Amino acid sequence: MKILVIGNGGRESAIIDKIMTSSRFGVEIYQWPSNTCLPGAIPFYPQTDDISIMLERIRPRDFDLAVIGPESPLVFGVGDHLRGKEIPVFGPGGLGAKIEGDKGYAKDFMRKYDIPTADFEIVFGYEEGVKYLEDAFFPKYIKAAGLALGKGAVKAESYDEGKRILRDIFIEKKYGHQEKAVIEEYLPGTEVSMLAFVMDESYFLLPPARDYKKAFDNDEGPNTGGMGCIAPCYAGGFPDVSEAEKDDYKKWGNVIIGNALKGFKKEGIIYRGILYAGVIVNDAGYFVLEYNARFGDPETQSLLQLIDGDLSEILYKIAVGDFNISYSVKRDHYALTAILAARGYPEKYGRNIHIIMPDTFPENVKIFPAGLRKENGKYLSTGGRILGVTSIDPDLTALKKRVYDILETISNEKTFFRKDIGSVYDKKT
Ligand code: AMP
Ligand code: GLY
């Protein structure tokens, strides 16, 4: 099977690795853009920054399957383009991906299809936003409605802070051109990433995962693309999870994923890929903060390690509309991913940091390159999140030790990593 994977971050490294290690049949994997670090993934040329030039080179039926990792190509309709060339695509078209690309649309959609979410107001411009804030209670979350690399949601503790955030969005254009913003009620609670394989009206929930979004230990510092992940993680919590808690998760999946799929059907949207809900859990229930139209990063690095099954077959079948997929989940294992980042990330950070990989490491450890390239046999950083270290184990303490031993070896004075991934478990009383 000839597969094109679009994207070159840690998530795509994990997808490619899982396809290569789980496929029962021969696979030939092309990657665009390539991070040059994955043996066996063939760079698809031209390796330009311009996706439209790359797309022009693809002829009808050139691939048996395309897997689109990141949000931008999904939102810009690359799925539709490739389907137009009779290539089965894992990932929704532009209409389906709007659930991620337009937070205003997503909030209206949730209201329309009875999906619990924070109360909100959509504002079109700075003045309208400020006027709304004059009578508002704080704290609030204020979010640029369009794509913002996961950094467009900011908490406002006061009217003045709210004004500053609106200024960043509409006047300073910190997140590029944004037509509107969502201002929503602040919801306390713990966060869970709920991901599901989706085909039209059918879905399979993956185990719940927790993404550590803040840069530093104890959830301090600025928001990042994600510094680590532990799965499974019911309600953000404890390994000895009760059956009732698992049932709750399934029940909320019926609402959060199930209602969304009914909504897509009513809106005439064909959705095949991953639907991912960022969920807050508190005493009042589960609330969707956002939907993503793709695999999460770094959730995917952890979650795929918990799956036993042929990933290329699963993705292909979903892409062609056959939901007769089979896989099993390692229910007695935890999967942990910790990210090595460049010092200064997510603000200003250096590139070309020389990363020295260990000659050998335990068999059940995966190193997933992200902002990393290989040049003349040397690994050099190209981005803020450089790589992730992932492993699985039934024993959480052994798991943490294994992952952190590797990170201690690979890291250097120009890099950093969070040392508390998975530690939510230690704190629960
Ligand atoms: P979003 O881009 O909407 O997922 O928001 C990014 C992060 O901001 C989330 O993962 C939460 O940690 C936080 N967040 C967003 N909206 C809210 C909210 N209404 N209440 C509490 N935290 C929020
Ligand atoms: N883990 C957050 C994201 O993928 O958006």
Side-chain angles (χ1 to χ4, degrees):
M1 192 191 293
K2 197 171 161 193
I3 303 173
L4 174 67
V5 174
I6 295 181
N8 64 355
R11 162 186 47 214
E12 290 78 20
S13 293
I15 292 170
I16 290 172
D17 170 85
K18 188 70 184 182
I19 291 176
M20 291 200 290
T21 52
S22 69
S23 181
R24 290 173 297 150
F25 307 103
V27 284
E28 205 181 354
I29 303 179
Y30 289 81
Q31 187 181 25
W32 186 93
S34 161
N35 62 26
T36 63
C37 296
L38 293 172
I42 308 159
F44 182 72
Y45 290 101
Q47 288 282 319
T48 91
D49 286 342
D50 189 341
I51 195 165
S52 57
I53 295 176
M54 184 280 281
L55 291 174
E56 271 170 28
R57 298 284 167 90
I58 299 178
R59 289 161 309 170
R61 295 183 295 280
D62 255 356
F63 294 97
D64 302 304
L65 172 68
V67 182
I68 305 176
E71 55 274 30
S72 309
L74 288 164
V75 170
F76 294 124
V78 170
D80 304 308
H81 178 97
L82 292 173
R83 282 191 188 96
K85 289 185 172 165
E86 294 173 62
I87 295 170
V89 178
F90 183 84
L95 277 181
K98 201 171 170 192
I99 199 82
E100 170 161 10
D102 181 342
K103 283 183 190 286
Y105 165 83
K107 294 292 282 191
D108 285 335
F109 181 92
M110 288 186 246
R111 193 172 265 170
K112 189 165 170 192
Y113 294 106
D114 293 327
I115 297 163
T117 187
D119 271 347
F120 67 97
E121 186 72 22
I122 299 171
V123 297
F124 294 80
Y126 178 75
E127 273 83 27
E128 192 184 332
V130 170
K131 195 161 181 344
Y132 174 77
L133 289 183
E134 278 165 10
D135 303 316
F137 293 104
F138 290 87
K140 284 268 185 282
Y141 253 84
I142 305 184
K143 306 179 180 186
L147 292 183
L149 294 172
K151 291 168 197 143
V154 187
K155 189 176 175 187
E157 299 281 1
S158 65
Y159 171 71
D160 284 344
E161 257 183 40
K163 262 172 75 172
R164 185 181 48 73
I165 296 163
L166 288 168
R167 169 174 282 279
D168 281 347
I169 295 173
F170 291 117
I171 298 172
E172 307 294 337
K173 301 200 183 301
K174 196 169 166 185
Y175 313 102
H177 174 74
Q178 297 282 342
E179 227 166 80
K180 53 190 171 182
V182 173
I183 303 181
E184 68 179 35
E185 164 202 22
Y186 168 74
L187 295 175
T190 42
E191 281 185 71
V192 174
S193 300
M194 178 185 274
L195 281 81
F197 284 123
V198 161
M199 199 212 80
D200 305 339
E201 282 167 278
S202 312
Y203 69 91
F204 283 118
L205 280 185
L206 288 164
R210 179 169 197 242
D211 172 20
Y212 293 71
K213 285 204 169 78
K214 301 281 183 199
F216 309 126
D217 288 4
N218 294 316
D219 277 347
E220 278 165 22
N223 265 331
T224 68
M227 293 298 292
C229 172
I230 180 89
C233 190
Y234 291 85
F238 207 59
D240 302 322
V241 61
S242 67
E243 287 307 312
E245 215 172 332
K246 288 185 188 168
D247 283 349
D248 266 2
Y249 191 71
K250 279 194 206 137
K251 204 170 77 197
W252 284 100
N254 280 336
V255 178
I256 291 172
I257 305 293
N259 284 12
L261 301 194
K262 285 182 197 139
F264 287 148
K265 182 160 191 229
K266 284 223 172 98
E267 309 281 328
I269 295 167
I270 295 172
Y271 195 109
R272 293 176 184 173
I274 287 280
L275 184 61
Y276 156 178
V279 176
I280 282 265
V281 188
N282 60 28
D283 291 344
Y286 283 53
F287 301 88
V288 178
L289 294 180
E290 61 160 358
Y291 280 108
N292 294 319
R294 54 175 172 82
F295 276 116
D297 188 341
E299 288 93 331
T300 305
Q301 290 86 314
S302 288
L303 287 173
L304 290 182
Q305 296 306 308
L306 293 176
I307 288 179
D308 284 322
D310 179 337
L311 187 63
S312 58
E313 186 181 72
I314 296 170
L315 303 182
Y316 175 77
K317 282 193 165 180
I318 291 174
V320 296
D322 173 2
F323 212 46
N324 181 23
I325 61 176
S326 71
Y327 66 89
S328 60
V329 174
K330 289 190 174 71
R331 301 228 174 254
D332 55 341
H333 280 67
Y334 296 96
L336 189 147
T337 300
I339 302 292
L340 181 76
R343 215 165 260 291
Y345 172 77
E347 319 283 336
K348 270 181 97 166
Y349 55 85
R351 286 165 211 264
N352 292 317
I353 302 169
H354 184 198
I355 302 293
I356 298 170
M357 296 287 184
D359 289 335
T360 57
F361 43 87
E363 196 182 294
N364 51 2
V365 167
K366 299 273 184 188
I367 296 189
F368 292 127
L372 191 64
R373 73 176 198 281
K374 197 172 181 185
E375 206 177 279
N376 302 323
K378 241 170 123 176
Y379 289 101
L380 297 169
S381 74
T382 56
R385 290 192 295 172
I386 299 171
L387 57 82
V389 178
T390 301
S391 190
I392 59 169
D393 205 295
D395 177 342
L396 199 51
T397 311
L399 176 59
K400 283 186 198 172
K401 181 167 174 357
R402 186 180 313 125
V403 168
Y404 282 120
D405 280 352
I406 300 277
L407 274 166
E408 292 292 350
T409 319
I410 301 180
S411 59
N412 60 43
E413 70 293 347
K414 292 183 177 157
T415 63
F416 77 101
F417 56 90
R418 268 184 73 155
K419 299 194 171 58
D420 64 345
I421 308 300
S423 69
V424 63
Y425 300 126
D426 303 337
K427 285 189 199 155
K428 188 151 178 180
T429 51

